[in-house]
Amino acid sequence: GEPGVRVALELRLDDRRGQPLLVRDYVAEEPAAGASFEDAVAAFDTAVGSIFTRFLADARAVVAAPR
Protein backbone atom coordinates (compact mmCIF):
# COMPACT_ATOMS: atom_id res chain seq x y z
CA GLY A 1 0.00 0.00 0.00
CA GLU A 2 0.82 3.63 -0.12
CA PRO A 3 2.79 5.06 2.81
CA GLY A 4 0.76 6.97 5.36
CA VAL A 5 -0.27 7.22 8.97
CA ARG A 6 -3.43 6.64 10.97
CA VAL A 7 -3.79 8.40 14.30
CA ALA A 8 -6.58 7.57 16.76
CA LEU A 9 -7.01 9.49 20.01
CA GLU A 10 -9.62 9.69 22.72
CA LEU A 11 -9.74 13.24 24.03
CA ARG A 12 -11.59 14.55 27.06
CA LEU A 13 -12.49 17.99 28.35
CA ASP A 14 -13.39 18.31 32.04
CA ASP A 15 -15.04 21.10 33.97
CA ARG A 16 -13.44 22.64 37.05
CA ARG A 17 -14.80 19.86 39.26
CA GLY A 18 -13.24 17.19 37.07
CA GLN A 19 -16.54 16.16 35.51
CA PRO A 20 -16.36 15.32 31.80
CA LEU A 21 -17.91 17.84 29.43
CA LEU A 22 -16.71 16.10 26.30
CA VAL A 23 -15.27 12.65 25.67
CA ARG A 24 -14.80 11.72 22.03
CA ASP A 25 -12.72 9.49 19.79
CA TYR A 26 -10.99 11.14 16.85
CA VAL A 27 -9.32 9.45 13.90
CA ALA A 28 -7.26 10.97 11.10
CA GLU A 29 -5.51 9.29 8.21
CA GLU A 30 -2.87 11.11 6.19
CA PRO A 31 -0.86 9.95 3.22
CA ALA A 32 2.90 10.36 3.48
CA ALA A 33 4.84 12.10 0.74
CA GLY A 34 7.25 9.16 0.64
CA ALA A 35 8.52 6.18 2.59
CA SER A 36 11.11 7.97 4.74
CA PHE A 37 10.89 8.48 8.49
CA GLU A 38 10.71 12.23 7.92
CA ASP A 39 7.72 11.76 5.58
CA ALA A 40 5.95 9.69 8.23
CA VAL A 41 6.63 12.32 10.91
CA ALA A 42 5.26 15.08 8.65
CA ALA A 43 2.11 13.03 7.96
CA PHE A 44 1.73 12.31 11.69
CA ASP A 45 2.02 16.02 12.45
CA THR A 46 -0.71 16.81 9.93
CA ALA A 47 -2.99 14.10 11.30
CA VAL A 48 -2.57 15.22 14.92
CA GLY A 49 -3.16 18.84 13.90
CA SER A 50 -6.37 17.82 12.16
CA ILE A 51 -7.58 15.98 15.24
CA PHE A 52 -6.86 18.88 17.57
CA THR A 53 -8.59 21.32 15.21
CA ARG A 54 -11.74 19.19 15.39
CA PHE A 55 -11.41 18.74 19.17
CA LEU A 56 -11.09 22.49 19.74
CA ALA A 57 -14.18 23.15 17.59
CA ASP A 58 -16.12 20.52 19.57
CA ALA A 59 -14.86 21.95 22.88
CA ARG A 60 -15.88 25.48 21.92
CA ALA A 61 -19.38 24.25 21.04
CA VAL A 62 -19.70 22.39 24.36
CA VAL A 63 -18.49 25.35 26.42
CA ALA A 64 -20.77 27.78 24.55
CA ALA A 65 -23.87 25.57 24.92
CA PRO A 66 -26.30 26.62 27.64
CA ARG A 67 -26.49 24.27 30.62
Side-chain angles (χ1 to χ4, degrees):
E2 294 297 315
V5 299
R6 181 175 194 270
V7 178
L9 298 173
E10 180 182 84
L11 297 175
R12 174 178 163 156
L13 174 67
D14 291 348
D15 66 14
R16 292 179 187 179
R17 296 180 312 268
Q19 298 301 308
L21 296 173
L22 171 67
V23 180
R24 192 162 295 162
D25 293 327
Y26 296 87
V27 177
E29 295 183 13
E30 288 293 327
S36 73
F37 179 76
E38 290 80 8
D39 293 331
V41 169
F44 182 83
D45 180 57
T46 301
V48 171
S50 170
I51 288 172
F52 274 96
T53 297
R54 287 184 279 149
F55 175 70
L56 288 174
D58 292 343
R60 283 187 190 103
V62 167
V63 171
R67 290 184 236 176

